[in-house]
Amino acid sequence: MVIDWSQTGTGKPKAGERERTRAAAYVRMSTEHQKYSTDNQMAVIQRYADHRKYEVVRTYTDSGKSGLRLVGRNALQALLQDVESGRADYTAILVYDVSRWGRFQDPDEAAAIELRCKHAGIVVHYCAEQFENDGSMGSSIVKTVKRAMAGEYSRELSVKVFAGQANLIRLGYRQGGAPGFGLRRVLVDQAGNRKAELAQGEHKSIATDRVVLVPGPNNEVALIQQIYRWFVEDGHGERQIADILNDRAVLTDLGRPWTRGAVHQVLINEKYVGNNVWGRTSFKLKQVHKRNPPEAWIRFDGAFEPVVAVEAFTAAQAIIEARALRMTDETMLAKLEEVLRQKGMLTGLIIDEMDDLPSSSSYAIRFGSLLRAYALVGFVPDRDYRYLEINRRLRHLHPDILNDVVRGIEAAGGRAVQDASTDLLHINNEFKASIVIVRCIETGAGALRWKLRLDTALNPDLTIAVRMRRSNDAPLDYYLLPRLDMHEAVLRLCEFNGMSLDCYRFDNLFRLFDMAARKQILEAA
């Protein structure tokens, strides 16, 4: 978030008082360190600015952003872009302390940020530190030590958090993730007393509460058991089972049709026999995603009430493992290479969806990791390109939505003219509006997110953001965002965003049409 403070300064300096130096402020509050809020940081920075005769004309704020990496910290990236492009209208940057740049595991990363500012002729001041950042040997030594201490704080915190989460797993409590079809999450208090069932997207709000898994509705439990019977007793494959479920119009817990991969996940997840397993993969200190060996997993067998008998689960695993054991390494890689030629890329989901192909976990076990299997067939993963098809559909949808807006304005008595070169709408010759369709993205835990890029190049007076449903086939709601109130080029929306953003949200565009409506006023003689 970038806030322009230039309109709220202290005004012209008094007679005999030197003119204030223009400065920017950078504040960050991490998700794992809530002690220093951005407001508290700004209070210290403002006192420092008043004492040193600085005028804070711009503030860059990263709220709820971890300092472990530069990725995702849009405000800091915007600051560096402004500094290095020459757009910065200030000569100093005020920061609360050394750790606000980041708690990088490599202290040189934080030093590089300050160096980039210095090379652009902009000095950095640490307002809460007990040393002057004057380039002296003493300040350089202190900064180096503090950068290393900031990184060590994150490392120690990571160890403590991991130990705490592992202990909760061993006590039989659930740690994150959607429960899955046939299961539900239930909130319990310290004494283990049931409090409430958590719906999708809901989280516990009291630190001492815990979450456990319980069997879901009887019809879902019966269906899970039937899936195992089809697979173990009847010899049906995952694809065949998915087709049966879809023919019966049964949806997954996420409201989607069944796929081979979705059925496969039901057949391999130990939560269906009541085992609490955690730590299959790790992403410690946000450095490298890695798949951990089974002996490193944290587990508590029999933590929850089982949905499936252990004998059925064991039989299913034997069938899945036998499919891979029958193949040599060369055969498995040849099949994987054929899938790569067909699809043009590889993911765990693509592998699990293919018939007559071992599961992604089988490839990971056989070759040490999926990435190594990818490398052996000449594939270097970049990113998931499924979004291209969705974006293609949304581009086709844009003209229809634009025409609906024009018709709605005209029906209300207004006038809307489309600029053929920019698609901007000139409404009543009074203001310009841009229509932006925002794709819905679903996280692994089932939460919905929308990333909205405002069209700053065209600089419309009003942005009509059309937020799409989970399936991206129809609008969910609309945001009418006036340019004067928007201080960021990119907005990241959740399902609920607080009054600062949701006050602009509407279920339909009637409010826009009311804005464009015209009424006749009788002229007095």
Side-chain angles (χ1 to χ4, degrees), residues 387-447:
Y387 74 97
L388 292 175
E389 179 59 31
I390 296 174
N391 286 354
R392 191 177 298 113
R393 293 204 310 265
L394 296 185
R395 283 196 296 271
H396 290 309
L397 188 62
H398 187 273
D400 294 335
I401 293 179
L402 190 146
N403 290 334
D404 289 343
V405 171
V406 171
R407 285 195 293 267
I409 291 173
E410 292 175 346
R415 184 169 180 268
V417 178
Q418 177 187 356
D419 187 321
S421 61
T422 64
D423 278 341
L424 282 182
L425 290 180
H426 295 258
I427 300 175
N428 295 331
N429 290 324
E430 294 176 351
F431 64 94
K432 296 180 294 182
S434 171
I435 298 177
V436 180
I437 299 180
V438 192
R439 178 168 61 99
C440 179
I441 302 170
E442 186 172 1
T443 68

Side-chain angles (χ1 to χ4, degrees), residues 143-292:
K143 282 191 296 183
T144 301
V145 172
K146 283 185 170 288
R147 287 167 184 149
M149 288 172 60
E152 180 63 13
Y153 168 86
S154 288
R155 191 196 66 78
E156 290 181 350
L157 183 64
S158 174
V159 171
K160 293 176 182 178
V161 169
F162 180 85
Q165 290 177 313
N167 185 53
L168 291 175
I169 291 295
R170 295 187 184 102
L171 291 173
Y173 298 122
R174 175 79 171 172
Q175 289 290 296
F181 189 86
L183 296 169
R184 294 293 186 271
R185 294 178 304 146
V186 167
L187 196 65
V188 298
D189 61 19
Q190 276 183 300
N193 299 314
R194 179 175 178 140
K195 296 181 68 175
E197 182 178 301
L198 294 175
Q200 182 178 324
E202 291 183 341
H203 304 279
K204 70 184 186 74
S205 57
I206 301 176
T208 55
D209 284 349
R210 299 289 177 251
V211 177
V212 297
L213 288 183
V214 299
N218 292 335
N219 63 313
E220 290 189 18
V221 171
L223 198 53
I224 291 293
Q225 295 169 348
Q226 181 63 56
I227 288 174
Y228 274 82
R229 285 194 293 271
W230 282 331
F231 187 74
V232 174
E233 299 174 11
D234 300 340
H236 294 342
E238 290 98 323
R239 175 74 65 187
Q240 189 176 0
I241 295 173
D243 291 341
I244 295 172
L245 294 172
N246 290 330
D247 288 342
R248 297 183 179 185
V250 177
L251 297 177
T252 67
D253 57 309
L254 299 178
R256 302 168 177 169
W258 287 86
T259 64
R260 181 183 186 274
V263 174
H264 183 76
Q265 288 301 312
V266 169
L267 292 170
I268 66 171
N269 202 310
E270 292 187 53
K271 63 188 176 185
Y272 288 105
V273 289
N275 294 345
N276 198 17
V277 184
W278 181 74
R280 292 183 177 91
T281 62
S282 58
F283 187 35
K284 293 183 178 179
L285 295 172
K286 300 187 182 296
Q287 298 299 302
V288 179
H289 279 285
K290 58 180 288 190
R291 186 184 294 270
N292 298 320

Side-chain angles (χ1 to χ4, degrees), residues 11-27:
K12 295 181 180 180
K14 298 178 181 179
E17 181 182 350
R18 70 178 177 87
E19 186 174 352
R20 288 176 176 261
T21 303
R22 295 171 65 86
Y26 174 75
V27 293

Side-chain angles (χ1 to χ4, degrees), residues 284-327:
K284 293 183 178 179
L285 295 172
K286 300 187 182 296
Q287 298 299 302
V288 179
H289 279 285
K290 58 180 288 190
R291 186 184 294 270
N292 298 320
E295 58 269 20
W297 297 352
I298 310 299
R299 61 186 308 128
F300 176 11
D301 293 346
F304 312 123
E305 181 181 347
V307 172
V308 174
V310 174
E311 294 78 12
F313 183 83
T314 303
Q317 306 322 298
I319 294 171
I320 292 171
E321 291 172 7
R323 290 191 307 212
L325 289 175
R326 290 195 298 267
M327 295 185 186

